[in-house]
Amino acid sequence: MSRIDQMFARLREQGECALIPYIPVGYPTVEGSESLIRTIAESGADLIELGVPYADPLADGPTIQEASLKAVSNGVNLKSCIAMVRTLRDKGLETPIVLMGYCNSFLAYGLDNLADDAKEAGIDGFIIPDLPSTMAKPYVEIFEARGLKNIFFLAPTTSEAREAAVVEQGQGFLYCISVTGVTGERKSLPAELRDFIHQARQVTTLPLAVGFGISNEEHVREVSEYADGAIVGSALINVIKQSEPHEIEAKAGEFIRTLKQATRKAATPI
Amino acid sequence: MEGFFGQYGGAYVAETLIRNLEELYGEYERIKDEEDFREEISQLLKNFVGRPTPISALHRITAELGGAKIYLKREDLTHTGAHKINNALAQAVLAKRMGKTRIVAETGAGQHGVAVATACSLLGMTCVVYMGAVDAERQAPNVQRMKLLGAELHLVHSGQKTLKDAISEAIRDWITNVEDTHYLLGSAVGPHPFPNMVRDFQSVIGEEAREQILEAEGRLPDYVIACVGGGSNSIGMFNAFLDDADVKLVGVQAAGEGLESGKHASPLLKGTHGIIQGSLTYMLQDEDGQILETHSIAPGLDYPGAGPQHSYLKDTGRVEYTSVNDREALMAFEELCRKEGILPALESSHAVAYALKLVSQLPKDALVLVNLSGRGDKDLSQAIAALEQLKNAEVLV
Ligand SMILES: Cc1ncc(COP(=O)(O)O)c(C=O)c1O
């Protein structure tokens, strides 16, 4: 069983929701990146969504746009992201890791090379926000041949017919987009979110992770009531942004611990 | 596969947008041949836009260059002053029929923004336009026009603050407001079905011009030339001639400060395959796939990607793509004013500049048709300043 499948199976037994933080490689600094990612993992991340910095991230709001751009100008590229995972694995990190990035970063690298290098480095899969299921076939074939997962999306706007097609192709877990919109912190989660997840639950046994707008402990606690994963991006970046350089790791670690605690109170959804 | 031109095109967008794109494609396919829809569009084009636009022969320049005869297709004479209105009106009518009440659009030169604001004013729809802060500064008259027409204008300060960044913000707005909003994309770029739809709505240019030149000259032109930013005026012009094997089609991109300087906007000449703003096409990018900055004196050409059909036409060889630099475009801009009494947009001046270079090498009986995509009122202050700078520099040399 893959790292991702094992993790969800274990949490399901424990009645816990997975905490899935997003952090771009090389943010806020290249030097501090490896240690920060390790801190995030050790503080309770169940899966890490490592961002491949892209300067024109169409599905992202201002917070991640700014963080991505910072990492790009810090000189980070896909190659350094893969190298980062290799280093983390060499030093014994076993937390599942998926790369989150835009199609063009992966295309420019070459999909076959990408899949070879990613596998070798210990990457578990990919989240590609501008690759809808209708366009995904060539990517999935190449990834699957190396046992790498492509994580598919469900949105509030996904029709029933599409939902069926997405579910059929789904691997690892499904990324459920909480709102119509881009990434970014929000005051509250949409009222329809619970129904959206329940509805998806009717058609798939894959774990369902919710992302976009999950900003605090309360949100994580709420999502943990009905979903299998809570993805937190902009809120973590804002914690980092608001910290003095020397306290970034401590603050990020504390934030992750608090969020992870909020996933534990949940009763098992299935 | 649907939505592809060979390997180019597709719809590489967030899952959230797929429903809207499918709905748009479905509705467009359903409505486009309906008598009622066609009649509404053709009435608007005739009575509001002022179509058909004429073709004009360039008598003085032709006599002076002693070469082939040049005709201009006068999209500058449309209401609002550029071809952009053809697409803006048709998409707005379609959106209204789809029950949308709010329109978002990007604009570079401001011509598309003005056209969309105009269509929304006419049809009673809410209009939100995104424009790069750099473009807003260099196209100030169009900023004023959009505001006067009732558009809500958002200046974009991210990235290079030009057309690409405005498109990104418009797409983000659309992802957020999927229920009531139509994204009225202004060029033949972006995810399927936009490249097809924009081409179809601009094809009136070439259909009219083909008929007009047949009537004026009794034959088809030897060359048809248009400038290529995203590629809407050019594909609208070329579409009617694609099957006329003897008609050579030339797309002119912006060479900015020169193709070798790196400061240009010529993805069809210097680009590589990649995915930009929803479609696979030739684009300007670095080895990591990051989109490169572009440069052109013409804001409407200042874009790092080309419409996917142009990438396909480049590979098949049916269209030849070439480029003209800032200086040549400015000289053509002035030449057309001085000798023919026509003030062209800086974008269109690129096509004119190439035609002027070409005709002196052609036999006298050759026939060249150029799409004059828009008028240059918007460019006056920038073009005059740049021309003065050019002349001062040349006096010094
Ligand atoms: C007058 C004019 N011509 C040409 C263009 C370039 O766009 P396209 O290549 O889509 O025709 C623009 C865009 O703003 C324009 O305003």
Side-chain angles (χ1 to χ4, degrees):
Chain A
M1 227 195 319
S2 75
R3 281 191 196 96
I4 296 176
D5 297 336
Q6 270 175 19
M7 181 274 289
F8 278 108
R10 175 174 55 81
L11 292 186
R12 193 168 278 193
E13 251 169 46
Q14 292 168 212
E16 272 178 43
C17 177
L19 180 66
I20 308 180
Y22 162 88
I23 177 90
V25 175
Y27 179 81
T29 64
V30 173
E31 310 75 52
S33 191
E34 183 195 324
S35 179
L36 178 59
I37 294 166
R38 198 193 316 279
T39 298
I40 290 169
E42 287 164 0
S43 304
D46 297 298
L47 184 154
I48 293 181
E49 204 186 302
L50 266 194
V52 179
Y54 196 57
D56 294 275
L58 271 180
D60 286 304
T63 304
I64 293 182
Q65 281 177 46
E66 194 191 309
S68 266
L69 204 58
K70 178 101 196 282
V72 170
S73 47
N74 286 346
V76 176
N77 60 13
L78 179 51
K79 200 169 170 188
S80 34
C81 295
I82 295 171
M84 172 68 80
V85 178
R86 189 180 297 118
T87 307
L88 290 165
R89 293 286 184 233
D90 284 349
K91 296 188 182 171
L93 187 76
E94 276 304 314
T95 311
I97 297 176
V98 295
L99 290 188
M100 184 286 189
Y102 286 82
C103 278
N104 208 46
S105 299
F106 299 135
L107 266 192
Y109 196 91
L111 294 182
D112 280 302
N113 284 342
L114 169 69
D116 287 342
D117 295 354
K119 182 69 195 171
E120 183 269 325
I123 289 162
D124 299 293
F126 300 93
I127 296 181
I128 313 179
D130 57 348
L131 188 71
S133 59
T134 32
M135 298 283 120
K137 200 164 171 243
Y139 293 70
V140 170
E141 281 172 4
I142 291 171
F143 295 161
E144 260 183 344
R146 278 81 165 185
L148 298 164
K149 294 188 193 305
N150 182 58
I151 305 304
F152 287 88
F153 291 87
L154 291 178
T157 53
T158 306
S159 66
E160 264 178 47
R162 272 187 72 80
E163 188 181 62
V166 170
V167 161
E168 200 180 297
Q169 296 177 71
Q171 332 168 303
F173 63 98
L174 292 177
Y175 190 130
C176 303
I177 302 172
S178 69
V179 287
T180 58
V182 293
T183 58
E185 285 199 70
R186 285 173 178 82
K187 286 215 172 62
S188 59
L189 297 174
E192 311 78 30
L193 181 56
R194 185 184 293 264
D195 285 346
F196 168 38
I197 303 302
H198 277 307
Q199 153 64 25
R201 195 73 84 190
Q202 308 303 311
V203 295
T204 182
T205 55
L206 281 170
L208 301 172
V210 176
F212 284 41
I214 300 183
S215 310
N216 54 44
E217 206 184 329
E218 285 72 45
H219 292 171
V220 171
R221 190 167 297 124
E222 183 188 325
V223 164
S224 299
E225 287 171 21
Y226 45 79
D228 308 305
I231 302 166
V232 180
S234 300
L236 174 60
I237 288 170
N238 282 330
V239 165
I240 292 168
K241 215 169 94 177
Q242 286 150 18
S243 304
E244 294 295 324
H246 69 274
E247 55 173 28
I248 285 173
E249 280 192 31
K251 289 274 165 89
E254 188 187 316
F255 186 58
I256 296 296
R257 274 191 297 277
T258 314
L259 297 186
K260 182 57 209 170
Q261 193 54 37
T263 69
R264 292 209 171 99
K265 307 221 167 103
T268 176
I270 304 178
Chain B
M1 201 149 100
E2 201 175 82
F4 280 86
F5 304 92
Q7 62 176 305
Y8 304 108
Y12 297 90
V13 296
E15 173 65 31
T16 313
L17 282 181
I18 297 289
R19 187 188 67 187
N20 282 40
L21 290 171
E22 286 183 347
E23 178 192 26
L24 180 60
Y25 178 59
E27 285 297 290
Y28 174 58
E29 285 297 309
R30 189 176 66 74
I31 279 177
K32 71 177 183 189
D33 297 319
E34 278 181 11
E35 193 57 37
D36 184 43
F37 176 72
R38 295 176 68 94
E39 185 57 25
E40 183 173 357
I41 301 297
S42 82
Q43 281 302 318
L44 283 171
L45 290 181
K46 178 165 173 244
N47 300 323
F48 187 71
V49 176
R51 304 205 72 92
T53 57
I55 57 170
S56 308
L58 298 187
H59 296 293
R60 285 187 64 197
I61 289 180
T62 296
E64 201 171 291
L65 292 176
K69 198 162 177 183
I70 305 176
Y71 279 90
L72 299 184
K73 174 64 173 167
R74 302 290 306 278
E75 292 301 293
D76 61 316
L77 295 179
T78 56
H79 177 45
T80 70
H83 71 289
K84 299 283 180 187
I85 190 73
N86 303 325
N87 168 57
L89 263 179
Q91 271 196 55
V93 168
L94 175 65
K96 191 163 183 181
R97 285 178 177 234
M98 288 169 64
K100 305 288 179 186
T101 54
R102 181 175 176 272
I103 298 285
V104 293
E106 81 295 343
T107 196
Q111 286 303 124
H112 177 57
V114 166
V116 174
T118 299
C120 288
S121 158
L122 180 74
L123 298 172
M125 301 173 90
T126 304
C127 179
V128 177
V129 179
Y130 291 87
M131 185 175 200
V134 167
D135 287 340
E137 200 180 311
R138 54 181 174 166
Q139 305 279 269
N142 277 343
V143 170
Q144 291 169 321
R145 288 167 81 192
M146 283 185 273
K147 287 186 178 163
L148 199 54
L149 288 159
E152 180 186 320
L153 190 71
H154 293 270
L155 296 190
V156 178
H157 293 278
S158 55
Q160 206 186 333
K161 305 180 176 53
T162 56
L163 181 56
K164 181 236 338 160
D165 311 294
I167 294 181
S168 293
E169 277 313 306
I171 291 177
R172 291 187 184 112
D173 180 311
W174 198 29
I175 299 182
T176 310
N177 300 290
V178 286
E179 298 299 335
D180 64 347
T181 298
H182 173 68
Y183 175 29
L184 208 163
L185 188 41
S187 191
V189 299
H192 177 68
F194 285 108
N196 290 290
M197 197 169 66
V198 175
R199 175 202 59 214
D200 294 351
F201 290 150
Q202 291 294 2
S203 290
V204 63
I205 302 172
E207 284 159 17
E208 285 176 9
R210 191 174 183 281
E211 229 170 79
Q212 287 164 326
I213 201 145
L214 279 174
E215 192 180 309
E217 294 285 334
R219 71 177 185 94
L220 290 172
D222 299 296
Y223 287 86
V224 175
I225 301 170
C227 68
V228 184
S232 69
N233 86 85
S234 48
I235 201 69
M237 180 58 133
F238 295 162
N239 198 44
F241 297 96
L242 284 176
D243 295 334
D244 299 318
D246 292 337
V247 179
K248 296 183 190 67
L249 305 175
V250 184
V252 185
Q253 295 224 280
E257 294 177 15
L259 284 186
E260 302 316 320
S261 71
K263 291 188 159 185
H264 60 78
S266 298
L268 287 163
L269 300 167
K270 291 287 179 182
T272 49
H273 290 174
I275 290 171
I276 178 168
Q277 299 185 316
S279 70
L280 180 75
T281 193
Y282 281 101
M283 63 182 280
L284 296 171
Q285 58 184 331
D286 68 14
E287 62 272 27
D288 293 329
Q290 304 286 358
I291 302 171
L292 288 174
E293 291 206 352
T294 51
H295 173 92
S296 171
I297 193 161
L301 303 182
D302 207 354
Y303 184 68
Q309 191 171 3
H310 286 287
S311 292
Y312 177 71
L313 292 169
K314 170 191 161 75
D315 285 2
T316 62
R318 178 63 189 96
V319 178
E320 180 199 338
Y321 294 90
T322 178
S323 70
V324 152
N325 65 30
D326 286 350
R327 185 182 171 281
E328 296 166 315
L330 279 165
M331 301 309 286
F333 174 89
E334 191 181 50
E335 180 92 346
L336 208 61
C337 288
R338 290 275 164 82
K339 308 247 171 77
E340 301 287 347
I342 294 171
L343 168 60
L346 282 174
E347 290 79 11
S348 325
S349 299
H350 285 70
V352 174
Y354 182 74
L356 299 185
K357 278 201 285 195
L358 177 72
V359 289
S360 48
Q361 302 155 23
L362 296 178
K364 260 190 162 27
D365 60 353
L367 198 54
V368 175
L369 172 65
V370 180
N371 193 26
L372 197 76
S373 54
R375 68 180 188 223
D377 307 48
K378 68 185 178 65
D379 298 311
L380 277 185
S381 59
Q382 199 204 3
I384 289 168
L387 274 167
E388 245 161 51
Q389 224 179 8
L390 258 185
K391 281 172 193 167
N392 289 340
E394 271 159 30
V395 170
L396 288 178
V397 169

